[in-house]
């Protein structure tokens, strides 16, 4: 009976189990959104790094234009390089923020997953114990 009490201590009520399962699903959804955002920022980072390389290859006398709405506006090379570097810095900051958030959510998800797994394992053990007890009762009868 000592094992039965240990097993039942890991069991959650149905509402507790469902609530933890919902929380786990929400965390998984948030992680998916963060991964999507991370991919988008990585694509932007790559694009901006390519633009920076192109600007570095351009000579000082090269005319540089930037698209503003439907028109092209002449732009100073130093200003263009500065703008691209600022965008790269912003994107890298956002990627770092997303990574920190992902790590936090993964820790919470791992904890929730452990609780759910422990509950399911305890439920299986309890069912096995009940089946063994029923089999023993039938064998004695």
């Amino acid at each position: 009976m000592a094992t039965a009490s240990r097993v039942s201590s890991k069991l959650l009520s149905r509402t507790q189990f469902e609530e933890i399962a919902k929380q786990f699903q929400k965390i998984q959804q948030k992680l998916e959104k963060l991964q999507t955002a991370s991919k988008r920022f990585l694509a932007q980072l790559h694009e901006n790094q390519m633009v920076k390389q192109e600007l570095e290859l351009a000579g000082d006398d090269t005319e540089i234009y930037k698209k503003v709405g439907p028109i092209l506006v002449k732009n100073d090379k130093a200003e263009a390089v500065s703008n691209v570097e600022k965008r790269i810095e912003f994107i890298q900051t956002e990627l770092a923020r997303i990574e920190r958030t992902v790590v936090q959510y993964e820790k919470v998800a791992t904890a929730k997953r452990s609780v759910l797994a422990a509950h399911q394992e305890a439920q299986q053990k309890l069912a096995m114990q009940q089946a063994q007890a029923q089999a023993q009762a039938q064998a004695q009868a």
Side-chain angles (χ1 to χ4, degrees):
M1 274 299 154
T3 57
S5 65
R6 255 188 286 140
V7 169
S8 64
S9 70
K10 292 184 180 183
L11 286 175
L12 303 168
S13 72
R14 184 176 186 89
T15 56
Q16 287 174 321
F17 180 81
E18 288 173 355
E19 182 61 31
I20 292 173
K22 280 182 192 176
Q23 291 170 357
F24 181 73
Q25 286 176 338
K26 285 180 183 178
I27 290 169
Q28 291 298 107
Q29 290 170 349
K30 288 178 183 178
L31 283 169
E32 287 175 19
K33 287 180 183 178
L34 287 169
Q35 288 171 347
T36 301
S38 179
K39 287 178 185 176
R40 188 180 73 243
F41 278 119
L42 283 171
Q44 289 176 0
L45 178 63
H46 180 68
E47 181 182 333
N48 279 282
Q49 287 171 335
M50 288 176 53
V51 169
K52 184 179 175 189
Q53 287 175 348
E54 289 294 320
L55 287 173
E56 289 171 353
L57 292 174
D60 289 335
D61 60 337
T62 304
E63 291 183 357
I64 297 173
Y65 294 88
K66 123 175 136 174
K67 188 175 179 182
V68 179
I71 60 172
L72 293 175
V73 177
K74 195 170 183 178
N75 198 7
D76 180 51
K77 180 181 176 186
E79 183 182 341
V81 170
S82 175
N83 287 341
V84 170
E85 287 174 345
K86 286 177 186 174
R87 276 186 293 199
I88 289 172
E89 184 180 328
F90 170 77
I91 292 168
Q92 288 173 335
T93 302
E94 284 300 301
L95 283 168
R97 182 190 61 77
I98 288 172
E99 182 60 33
R100 286 190 306 271
T101 306
V102 165
V103 168
Q104 290 172 346
Y105 278 130
E106 284 177 343
K107 285 180 184 177
V108 173
T110 300
K112 301 274 184 210
R113 187 180 302 117
S114 295
V115 170
L116 294 173
H119 170 76
Q120 289 173 334
E121 185 180 318
Q123 225 176 7
Q124 289 171 350
K125 284 182 181 179
L126 186 60
M128 286 177 51
Q129 289 172 354
Q130 289 173 346
Q132 287 173 353
Q134 189 176 25
Q136 287 176 353
Q138 287 176 354
Q140 291 176 354

